[in-house]
Amino acid sequence: MVSAARSGGLAHILGSLRSALSAEVAFFDLTGNVLSSAPARTLWDFERVLAVHRSADASAPLTVLPVDIDGDTVGLLAARATDDPQQLLPVAIDLLALEISKLRAKQSGQAQLLATLLEDIFTKRVSDADAAARLAPFGIDGAARHRVLVGWDPTAGPGRRQLSWGSIDALVQDRPDPLMRARIGDQIVMVVPDDAMVQRIAETLHAHLLGAGRGGDPSSVRVGVGLAHAGTAGLRASYHEALTAVHEGGGVRSPKRVDLAGLFVMTNTADSLRDLAKSILGPLIDYDRVHNSDLLRTLQVFLRNNRSIQATTEALYVHRNTLRYRRGQIEQLLDMDLDDSAHIANLWLAFAILDDANIRDGE
Amino acid sequence: MSHASNAYRWESRAELATALPEEAAIYYEWLLGLPAGSRPGEALRRIGVAGVRAPEGGASGWIPVFYVDDLDAAVGRLAPGSWRTALSDEPGSVYVVDDQGSTVRLRTRKVGEAPGPANSLLNFDCSALDVPAAVRFYSGLLGLQVAEVAEDAYDMRFLLDSGDIVAGVFQLSGIERFEGRSIWITYFEVASVEESVTRAVQSGSRVRIPPVDSPVNRYAVLDDPWGNLYGFSHVFAVRGAQVTGGSFVPVGMDT
């Protein structure tokens, strides 16, 4: 079996195990995909395998053992046998774990490259033309309409996080994954063409993150689906939309409509945007600096609370007269009317630009 | 000895009886990279899928549709047994449920109609509990010759029409899922089985048999998101084959 592992990977390990045990054997990932089996043409019942693994079906003529890597179960080895007199199965699961680790190391380089590139795109650290050229080797047409999916499992332990970056199936086949998953921080990010299958791919990502074999709480895992936009700047916008959806709650979620201000900020790469925003809000920034006041934040909280006096005073812990006074100061310094829709739109956009700039600066 | 080709040549179609047929049709069209038609299922028709419909009391899943000249003659060739026929909602067509519980549909070629083009985008195999019985049944039903594949580990037979493959018959192992019945699997011809499988897994299909070679093709078997069994196939370029004493021997195979 060790010799088989050295020479031929999963298929050889299972072939050798089958011969030694004189029994059908198969190796599954936790969502029920058969990664390899011997003989190859065998239709297994994964639900039965899973039941035996959970000790719910002790009568089955099967032995099922977990294959672990770094303390995290990544697959199940099943043998249509109840006896293992030579203790071959424990050896086999060690060899399978080694094989998966080897394959993962091989592919993780490519996934890491994509993750770095996407991070550069999302934070505007790369020009759109350069980004499009660097996306091409990953099979992503930078000019086409795509959506970004962001998956996040807030309850995932460190071991599980390491393993959920991609499909074990693609790993085993040792082929580029046409829908590659990249890990950025604790998020799984996918870039998918805007077609009829987006929702299903998002649901599949959700199911994979949840892990059918782990029996977790479906509402704990979150997948955000950004809206469809063209170009690499569109990827940035879609990523932020997906991120917003993730923060809204569990399950698969998508924003109901386009946030035009957000879209404008995410897709516009003109360097002067931040200067324009500062020229609009500059009088408040300068005044706060000199007088150690809080007018900029007051205005931002006021706008975020839809100009509600009550909500704003509660958020800032100030009296309504204080807020009224500050509002007068703000209107005077900016020479703007906070009941004027055009002025409000400008201010909203200016804050969106500064927020984005601050995120990029790591503030 | 006679010459044979490895091409799947027989006028055949397939139909899918499934929950959420419209959604399933969109799924398969996306999976196979078919440009969408004006309604779900239209693009599938172009590759030989006769229809995607809800199960109506009968079998569900992918069902092969074989064309025959004479429906009564076809059924009349069968020996008595526990097989049965079930009426189809279409005149000149009938479902046949074999002794081992799997279903095919027969359709009559219209009188005077020339045989349609061979369907090279779909092929079929029967994963049988009892291979000799399945071979007897379907060779009788469709009036075909039988050849055992030389040097194959899976007890595989081909049903042949003038040397061309109509379908394969395999020994089925691991039968719990199918409650002890044989099953027909419909395969879609694709450029790369591995790429198609990866795409399918990312969109909710589940791999039942990972990519593997048979004597004539590379194939994989999956469940779609609704639990219907299907396969991908890439037929090898074979320059010919010989049928010698009932054995099918591919010759000059290129991948």
Side-chain angles (χ1 to χ4, degrees):
Chain A
M1 212 150 51
V2 173
S3 162
R6 283 194 190 124
S7 61
L10 291 180
H12 282 66
I13 295 171
L14 291 199
S16 168
L17 182 62
R18 187 210 173 197
S19 301
L21 284 178
S22 298
E24 295 167 0
V25 291
F27 178 38
F28 301 83
D29 72 12
L30 292 183
T31 52
N33 293 297
V34 177
L35 303 175
S36 189
S37 72
R41 196 181 171 82
T42 308
L43 291 168
W44 284 77
D45 178 1
F46 180 67
E47 277 64 36
R48 191 94 185 268
V49 169
L50 206 52
V52 173
H53 173 56
R54 291 173 176 160
S55 304
D57 188 359
S59 65
L62 288 175
T63 301
V64 180
L65 293 175
V67 176
D68 295 342
I69 297 178
D70 300 334
D72 198 24
T73 298
V74 298
L76 298 174
L77 172 65
R80 223 175 270 277
T82 50
D83 289 333
D84 180 20
Q86 297 176 67
Q87 291 294 297
L88 294 169
L89 288 169
V91 176
I93 60 171
D94 285 346
L95 291 174
L96 289 172
L98 278 173
E99 185 64 21
I100 291 291
S101 298
K102 197 169 74 183
L103 290 168
R104 192 177 59 166
K106 202 170 172 182
Q107 280 203 341
S108 65
Q110 198 182 14
Q112 189 52 50
L113 276 176
L114 178 62
T116 304
L117 173 56
L118 290 178
E119 210 168 1
D120 285 350
I121 291 171
F122 297 155
T123 53
K124 293 187 185 175
R125 284 200 295 255
V126 60
S127 75
D128 286 352
D130 193 18
R134 287 167 59 191
L135 281 169
F138 295 99
I140 300 171
D141 176 0
R145 285 167 67 86
H146 285 87
R147 289 173 185 256
V148 174
L149 311 186
V150 174
W152 182 52
D153 180 359
T155 65
R160 189 178 298 180
R161 281 180 187 167
Q162 281 178 4
L163 286 166
S164 54
W165 59 264
S167 141
I168 297 184
D169 183 74
L171 200 73
V172 168
Q173 292 181 33
D174 196 17
R175 295 212 160 220
D177 189 339
L179 295 166
M180 187 180 284
R181 296 169 184 180
R183 169 169 288 287
I184 298 178
D186 58 357
Q187 304 160 4
I188 303 292
V189 178
M190 294 178 78
V191 175
V192 301
D194 177 37
D195 59 31
M197 273 313 114
V198 171
Q199 184 67 17
R200 185 159 294 287
I201 292 169
E203 285 167 4
T204 305
L205 173 61
H206 184 264
H208 287 181
L209 282 177
L210 188 63
R214 297 177 178 126
D217 172 13
S219 64
S220 69
V221 174
R222 303 172 177 202
V223 173
V225 182
L227 299 174
H229 303 290
T232 51
L235 291 181
R236 192 177 306 127
S238 190
Y239 171 69
H240 284 276
E241 288 163 353
L243 216 49
T244 304
V246 159
H247 289 138
E248 284 174 2
V252 177
R253 290 170 183 259
S254 188
K256 290 186 177 68
R257 61 187 69 82
V258 175
D259 169 13
L260 272 180
L263 190 59
F264 175 73
V265 173
M266 299 302 163
T267 57
N268 196 314
T269 52
D271 290 333
S272 58
L273 266 186
R274 187 196 295 215
D275 293 340
L276 288 172
K278 281 189 171 169
S279 75
I280 291 173
L281 296 169
L284 296 187
I285 296 168
D286 294 342
Y287 187 90
D288 281 348
R289 189 182 305 122
V290 172
H291 297 90
N292 199 25
S293 55
D294 206 14
L295 294 183
L296 187 72
R297 182 162 163 267
T298 299
L299 175 58
Q300 189 169 30
V301 172
F302 181 60
L303 295 180
R304 282 186 178 163
N305 284 283
N306 303 314
R307 292 179 286 155
S308 157
I309 300 289
Q310 187 177 338
T312 307
T313 54
E314 284 172 8
L316 291 171
Y317 300 107
V318 295
H319 192 270
R320 61 170 49 221
N321 286 342
T322 305
L323 179 61
R324 196 167 291 137
Y325 178 72
R326 287 186 189 176
R327 176 181 168 151
Q329 283 183 296
I330 290 166
E331 289 184 320
Q332 193 177 13
L333 285 165
L334 296 180
D335 193 18
M336 284 181 162
D337 179 355
L338 294 185
D339 286 325
D340 183 312
S341 297
H343 290 175
I344 294 295
N346 263 342
L347 290 169
W348 184 260
L349 209 49
F351 274 115
I353 291 165
L354 288 187
D355 282 349
D356 177 56
N358 288 341
I359 289 168
R360 279 188 279 137
D361 291 346
E363 291 173 19
Chain B
M1 184 177 77
S2 64
H3 286 281
S5 82
N6 74 318
Y8 285 79
R9 293 183 199 279
W10 181 265
E11 194 183 0
S12 55
R13 301 284 184 270
E15 65 180 33
L16 176 60
T18 182
L20 302 174
E22 198 164 291
E23 212 176 303
I26 293 169
Y27 180 72
Y28 278 98
E29 288 174 352
W30 174 84
L31 203 53
L32 298 167
L34 302 174
S38 60
R39 60 183 184 280
E42 193 175 289
L44 283 174
R45 279 183 195 280
R46 290 197 289 270
I47 63 159
V49 174
V52 181
R53 59 172 176 80
E56 291 165 2
S60 64
W62 281 99
I63 300 170
V65 182
F66 294 114
Y67 282 73
V68 294
D69 290 327
D70 186 330
L71 213 58
D72 292 334
V75 174
R77 284 193 290 266
L78 296 175
S82 57
W83 59 269
R84 62 188 172 82
T85 57
L87 286 179
S88 154
D89 54 2
E90 179 187 297
S93 174
V94 69
Y95 290 99
V96 179
V97 184
D98 72 19
D99 306 88
Q100 300 177 56
S102 64
T103 303
V104 297
R105 182 176 189 164
L106 298 186
R107 266 187 180 163
T108 317
R109 289 189 192 93
K110 289 176 186 166
V111 176
E113 184 184 58
N119 196 331
S120 59
L121 299 174
L122 297 175
N123 62 68
F124 311 97
D125 72 47
C126 177
S127 291
L129 298 173
D130 181 341
V131 169
V135 164
R136 266 196 312 277
F137 185 89
Y138 288 105
S139 61
L141 183 68
L142 301 172
L144 302 171
Q145 304 92 48
V146 180
E148 193 167 334
V149 178
E151 296 174 20
D152 181 69
Y154 305 117
D155 197 7
M156 181 183 184
R157 318 284 169 89
F158 280 130
L159 301 177
L160 303 173
D161 174 50
S162 306
D164 293 328
I165 301 170
V166 175
V169 182
F170 287 86
Q171 179 64 51
L172 173 64
S173 305
I175 56 173
E176 298 100 324
R177 176 68 180 267
F178 307 106
E179 297 168 343
R181 65 181 170 84
S182 299
I183 187 157
W184 277 92
I185 301 172
T186 296
Y187 295 83
F188 299 95
E189 186 65 16
V190 293
S192 164
V193 172
E194 274 79 2
E195 281 181 26
S196 297
V197 166
T198 303
R199 194 169 153 90
V201 168
Q202 296 280 38
S203 57
S205 284
R206 200 156 78 167
V207 180
R208 303 296 301 273
I209 298 176
V212 64
D213 289 347
S214 85
V216 296
N217 68 349
R218 186 159 183 78
Y219 70 94
V221 177
L222 304 95
D223 274 333
D224 72 16
W226 301 273
N228 304 302
L229 209 62
Y230 70 99
F232 293 118
S233 157
H234 180 78
V235 175
F236 301 138
V238 175
R239 287 187 284 278
Q242 294 170 351
V243 179
T244 310
S247 285
F248 182 92
V249 185
V251 175
M253 189 179 292
D254 301 317
T255 55

